[in-house]
Amino acid sequence: MSDSELDVKWMQYAMALAEKAEAQGEIPVGAVIVKEDEVLGEGWNQPITLHDSTAHAEIVAIRNAGKNIANYRLVGSTIYVTLEPCPMCAGAIIHSRIARLVYGAQDYKTGAVGSVMNLLQHDSNNHKVDFTSGLLEQQCSHQISAFFKKRRVEIKAAKENKTLKDDVNIDDDQID
Ligand SMILES: [Zn+2]
């Protein structure tokens, strides 16, 4: 496999992880950390399930990888994420010394790797992370927008049936 074929393979893997988030009613974002074509750690978005606003796919994957290799530094690894990282996750990627980031869909509201800001390339970082954006962008973007479309339909139906509870948990602002 060429490098770009490997990138596609691992992004598809991250998309499969995103499906796990969706199965839990979470916004479908998945992340996998790979070194020498082997998985160091993986994660999917689950803040609602874990009662943890920091449980984005990247953070879950970074914690998983650190545990697996018993090292807080993930030197030489690549993280594949289906959605552009937010500022928190971009910061965590820098702290964990991940060498490279590959992401799929852009996040025009909170993206911190090119869309709204670019933390990875900031002059003040002594660790620079290479990145590739827009890999399988349409598929990744569709995965997320299809989720929101489905949720909107469900919410509308619930409202019409007056079965919607006040505490329904949908954070529609994050992405469209
Ligand atoms: Zn994040």
Side-chain angles (χ1 to χ4, degrees):
M1 270 194 195
S2 69
D3 285 353
S4 60
E5 283 169 337
L6 283 173
D7 280 352
V8 168
K9 173 181 113 174
W10 289 115
M11 186 58 83
Q12 285 169 339
Y13 190 98
M15 288 184 72
L17 293 171
E19 285 174 17
K20 296 189 183 203
E22 176 153 8
Q24 292 173 218
E26 305 270 8
I27 297 167
V29 181
V32 61
I33 299 170
V34 176
K35 188 173 179 179
E36 286 156 11
D37 205 30
E38 283 190 22
V39 175
L40 294 190
E42 60 187 37
W44 56 94
N45 189 46
Q46 42 195 323
I48 302 167
T49 309
L50 298 180
H51 311 294
D52 179 357
S53 61
T54 70
H56 290 184
E58 301 94 312
I59 304 289
V60 176
I62 286 169
R63 288 183 175 149
N64 182 236
K67 237 179 220 169
N68 287 342
I69 66 166
N71 193 328
Y72 73 107
R73 287 188 164 164
L74 309 175
V75 176
S77 65
T78 298
I79 185 167
Y80 295 86
V81 200
T82 58
L83 178 68
E84 181 179 356
C86 72
M88 172 182 73
C89 292
I93 288 167
I94 294 167
H95 281 295
S96 60
R97 298 291 189 270
I98 287 170
R100 181 172 172 243
L101 159 72
V102 181
Y103 72 80
Q106 284 187 291
D107 184 344
Y108 296 106
K109 285 182 181 162
T110 63
V113 189
S115 289
V116 181
M117 57 192 112
N118 193 340
L119 294 179
L120 296 193
Q121 303 285 307
H122 199 276
D123 288 343
S124 65
N125 296 335
N126 53 19
H127 174 69
K128 293 269 193 293
V129 181
D130 289 331
F131 73 92
T132 302
S133 60
L135 183 73
L136 302 187
E137 182 170 11
Q138 285 196 328
Q139 292 96 314
C140 291
S141 173
H142 180 262
Q143 191 176 36
I144 294 166
S145 60
F147 169 82
F148 278 108
K149 209 170 167 185
K150 204 171 125 210
R151 288 297 292 265
R152 283 193 196 101
V153 170
E154 284 169 3
I155 285 174
K156 197 167 172 242
K159 273 182 182 159
E160 280 165 9
N161 291 327
K162 297 196 167 125
T163 55
L164 186 68
K165 289 182 193 145
D166 291 336
D167 64 345
V168 66
N169 206 339
I170 178 160
D171 197 351
D172 218 6
D173 289 344
Q174 282 186 21
I175 308 149
D176 350 34

